Amino acid sequence: MGTQSTRAGFDSVSDRVAEYNPVRGESLDSPYELSNSSFEALRHVLHDVGGQPALPVEYKEKVEETWEMNTYVTCECLGWRGVWNSEERRRAENDLGATLYFGLPYYARWITVAAKTLVAKGFITPDELSAKLDDVRARMREAKQ
């Protein structure tokens, strides 16, 4: 974290980060009014994996599977309905932390953060989400038989 390497510095940056949470943050008049400490807080978000160097990956043409396209459409609909915007989705993906971010396939990260966001914003309850997952698992078992 550069100059903010002490525990107090870390806590200070963490407190500033909390002010920019899309759900409760205050609107800024202009990016030109952003202080250095605010800029540093926006750059150093806990668990942020965005912008980290990655290993080279061979590019392969791939046709999306049905669940991937369904995930894409679902997430776009959440945006159209005002549940989130693309920046919130991207930030939520980065906030998964490196283990989940790099361990999940691309659209699995999308659907994971969609579920977390719907629960966090009170659109569904954890019990409703669990029941729906049980329904989907049962349908998948039936389809395989």
Side-chain angles (χ1 to χ4, degrees):
M1 281 212 224
T3 62
Q4 298 289 333
S5 60
T6 66
R7 176 66 187 188
F10 178 80
D11 290 342
S12 172
V13 170
S14 296
D15 290 343
R16 292 292 294 166
V17 167
E19 294 176 20
Y20 295 101
N21 184 324
V23 176
R24 69 175 180 90
E26 62 184 66
S27 297
L28 298 173
D29 290 336
S30 165
Y32 305 108
E33 300 294 323
L34 200 61
S35 69
N36 287 341
S37 66
S38 294
F39 178 73
E40 185 175 352
L42 289 170
R43 287 184 42 243
H44 297 286
V45 178
L46 302 176
H47 309 299
D48 186 359
V49 296
Q52 293 183 7
L55 296 173
V57 176
E58 180 183 347
Y59 178 79
K60 295 180 182 178
E61 285 290 331
K62 177 189 177 305
V63 175
E64 281 80 11
E65 297 177 30
T66 302
W67 76 269
E68 293 171 316
M69 290 288 37
N70 288 344
T71 296
Y72 172 79
V73 170
T74 297
C75 291
E76 288 297 303
C77 288
L78 291 175
W80 295 332
R81 299 294 298 203
V83 172
W84 65 5
N85 60 42
S86 60
E87 182 57 24
E88 286 177 288
R89 183 198 53 76
R90 187 199 66 77
R91 169 54 53 203
E93 281 186 61
N94 285 340
D95 288 345
L96 288 172
T99 301
L100 288 175
Y101 186 92
F102 293 117
L104 292 171
Y106 183 72
Y107 284 111
R109 291 194 306 259
W110 282 44
I111 201 63
T112 300
V113 298
K116 289 178 69 150
T117 300
L118 289 169
V119 170
K121 291 188 174 186
F123 288 102
I124 60 174
T125 67
D127 289 341
E128 290 170 327
L129 177 60
S130 181
K132 184 53 76 174
L133 289 170
D134 290 342
D135 291 345
V136 170
R137 284 185 188 108
R139 284 199 317 263
M140 290 176 71
R141 275 193 298 271
E142 288 175 16
K144 286 184 179 181
Q145 295 176 355

